[in-house]
Amino acid sequence: MDQKIKFPIALKHILLFSFLIILVLGLTTFLVSTLVRGDDRRKAEENNHTINARTAQTVQQTFTNAQKNSYILFDAFSKIKEPAKKGGQASQEVRASLIADFFRVNDDIIFVSSPDTNLKVNPSFKEKIGGAAGEKKLSDFLIANKSAASGKVRYFNARETLDIDSIIFTFQYGPLNAVKNAAVGVDTKALAALMSSGANNATILVDQNSAVLINPDYESEQKTYVAAQSLIDSIKDKEGVDNTQSLAETEDGRKFISVHKTKDNLYVITSVSENSVFAVINRTTYRIILFSLAILFIAIMAIRLFSKNITNPIADLVDASAKIERGEFELDIKPRTHDEIGLLTSSFIQMGKGLAEREKLMVSFSKFTNKTIAQKAASGELALGGENRNATIFFSDIRSFTAMSETMQPKEVVEFLNAYMTRMVECVNKTNGVVDKYIGDAIMAVWGAPESAGSPALDALNAVTAALMMRVSLFHFNQPRKERGLAPVRIGCGINSGPVVAGQIGSNERMEYTVIGDAVNLASRTEALNKPFATDILITENTYNLIKDKVIVEQMPGVHVKGKTDAIKMFAVINLAGKERPSTIEEVRKIIGTTAPDLAKVNTDDEEKKYKIEG
């Protein structure tokens, strides 16, 4: 800790990353600040409004000219009177000449119709509208749609009637005492071309009843019209207000929409997509991002070249951390630098040595007690004195071990017990149990102390599961013994659940963690009952009540235990619920190599009188 730091990491990071951040953010801010999005929006709105107003003026002028020129024709026709006797042929020629001159001058007018002229179709449009059949269809349309009262002009989209892009408008003319209905059809091809001529702007024309009259791109602009309806409503019946503009949300995205009302209450709607307006700035922003990424990449490469003296020691420390996580505490790293990382590396090495010493002590300690208890004792988590716990206690014992050991050498006895205990203890550890002690060939284990799996029922189920695992492990343990002609090993397991006192018990010089209480004594006596019952796993009623829906059992006769007034029910464990085999006590006895006893002839322990079996 007294080593002097020559090159602090903080200084290196400040110099490198400050340069990077200032460079990238400075360039980005400079480029973005030169492009003002607000200016683009104002220009787009002004341009859209200008196109809208100019288009509205053209539309108004087109229909006004058609109407005025028609007035002149109708007035001329009304003043040409038929002579009483001769000259009728001359009048017809004059009228025909007027019609021909009218259509020659007004080549965008498809037809005119009035009481003075009757229906007259422009010769250049006769074939386009379908000849005589088209004229008949047009005549029917005019009869069905006469001019409105009060001199109002009505407009109709005549695409379906005339089979070409066109508008028919009807109106009234003549003196107030002799008002006449008239109709004029106008070819809108030129207007449609004008409305769709903008690079980004698109225009449609609707009437006051929201009927679309001209729509160059119907599918797209119909959506724009729906979005513009609220703008039309805002100026429809207002005096002195003939235009409005707004940024509206459409099905095709956000658009700048401008609406202009003409003299005859037609509405010209011009729109431009927000994306197209900001396309330039978006592309510029994209280039800025790419440029910033390029600068960032260059900066990263520069940092990579000049910071290996930082990253390499850090990589060594990461590898060392992984080794410590795997339990390898002897580290082969050395400090490379004289900065904070070098100091940290030295501390890491010392920490590894300390952990190695602690692990050696823990391994040695855990061989003489349970690993969980050893860890708690080392960390100071194990409370001094005793505590009340609700636990499940397990006892197991090898049948006829005394007779078996008499035929073996001491070394063979130790080797046999070590092999046997290793298998049995593994079953306890896998189910979160704690081996309390070894009593010769017997094993005492506890579930629920010093730690519970969550509930007394779960602790009890874990204990029974461990016993069933021991049954399977013992079966495999006996297979090679049978092949060598040795007698198979048989065990008995007794399990009981109940309140116990758990804690460190012993003298000032030597202590051990254990559990004591009546529940422990009953578990020990339960284990001894396996022999007369010819079973390998017995549980008391206390344990059975906790897990009765989790196990398959067969009830044994009640047993009177010393110190207990009432008979205690015992249950032979067959299997866990849901397992197929074994499913009966007979199958269990066949596996463990016992036969069903005659309980009436069972010889109980008359000396200790710990139990007696009810008939």
Side-chain angles (χ1 to χ4, degrees), residues 231-517:
L231 298 178
I232 294 175
D233 294 338
S234 67
I235 63 172
K236 179 175 289 187
D237 298 318
K238 291 184 179 179
E239 293 292 336
V241 179
D242 61 358
N243 66 85
T244 185
Q245 184 168 232
S246 177
L247 179 62
E249 190 73 39
T250 72
E251 293 184 21
D252 290 334
R254 288 158 59 90
K255 292 184 176 182
F256 294 99
I257 299 177
S258 181
V259 177
H260 202 109
K261 180 173 66 174
T262 68
K263 183 182 68 175
D264 294 324
N265 288 332
L266 299 181
Y267 296 89
V268 178
I269 304 170
T270 304
S271 65
V272 59
S273 171
E274 184 184 40
N275 290 334
S276 64
V277 171
F278 298 131
V280 174
I281 191 172
N282 289 339
R283 286 195 298 270
T284 303
T285 303
Y286 177 71
R287 293 191 184 102
I288 291 174
I289 293 173
L290 291 181
F291 185 73
S292 299
L293 291 176
I295 294 297
L296 182 60
F297 177 76
I298 295 172
I300 291 174
M301 294 303 296
I303 293 173
R304 178 64 179 170
L305 292 174
F306 293 102
S307 64
K308 287 185 178 181
N309 61 330
I310 298 176
T311 57
N312 289 344
I314 291 177
D316 291 342
L317 290 176
V318 171
D319 293 339
S321 299
K323 287 183 178 181
I324 290 177
E325 189 175 357
R326 295 194 300 267
E328 302 173 13
F329 302 117
E330 296 294 338
L331 305 178
D332 57 353
I333 59 174
K334 294 181 180 179
R336 295 190 182 190
T337 60
H338 297 283
D339 54 17
E340 291 92 340
I341 295 181
L343 183 59
L344 179 61
T345 303
S346 299
S347 300
F348 228 79
I349 295 171
Q350 295 302 320
M351 181 185 68
K353 291 179 179 179
L355 289 174
E357 292 295 330
R358 183 178 183 275
E359 183 67 15
K360 290 177 182 178
L361 179 61
M362 184 63 65
V363 170
S364 300
F365 186 33
S366 62
K367 289 181 179 179
F368 297 94
T369 186
N370 181 267
K371 186 175 181 180
T372 302
I373 296 175
Q375 290 175 342
K376 284 184 172 292
S379 62
E381 297 179 19
L382 198 62
L384 296 176
E387 59 178 345
N388 293 324
R389 307 284 296 191
N390 200 328
T392 296
I393 304 92
F394 166 93
F395 279 91
S396 71
D397 188 48
I398 300 177
R399 295 288 170 257
S400 304
F401 177 72
T402 301
M404 182 188 304
S405 62
E406 289 178 352
T407 63
M408 303 166 64
Q409 296 296 322
K411 182 178 180 181
E412 293 176 335
V413 174
V414 173
E415 290 176 351
F416 164 78
L417 284 177
N418 286 342
Y420 163 77
M421 294 292 187
T422 298
R423 284 178 170 269
M424 300 302 105
V425 171
E426 183 180 8
C427 298
V428 175
N429 293 336
K430 285 184 177 179
T431 54
N432 299 318
V434 173
V435 175
D436 187 283
K437 60 175 63 70
Y438 303 110
I439 311 170
D441 61 308
I443 299 174
M444 176 183 172
V446 182
W447 282 259
E451 290 184 344
S452 172
S455 66
L458 189 55
D459 292 330
L461 181 61
N462 285 341
V464 173
T465 301
L468 291 170
M469 291 170 63
M470 290 179 184
R471 176 190 290 168
V472 175
S473 182
L474 187 64
F475 177 82
H476 294 295
F477 181 74
N478 282 327
Q479 294 304 310
R481 290 180 59 84
K482 291 180 180 179
E483 294 174 359
R484 297 197 305 269
L486 300 175
V489 178
R490 296 186 179 90
I491 65 172
C493 304
I495 301 174
N496 180 43
S497 302
V500 297
V501 176
Q504 301 179 75
I505 298 176
S507 66
N508 292 334
E509 296 180 356
R510 185 180 184 278
M511 303 184 74
E512 69 174 6
Y513 184 90
T514 187
V515 294
I516 59 175

Side-chain angles (χ1 to χ4, degrees), residues 185-202:
V186 178
D187 179 18
T188 59
K189 184 177 181 181
L191 284 177
L194 174 65
M195 291 181 178
S196 61
S197 61
N200 297 316
N201 301 78

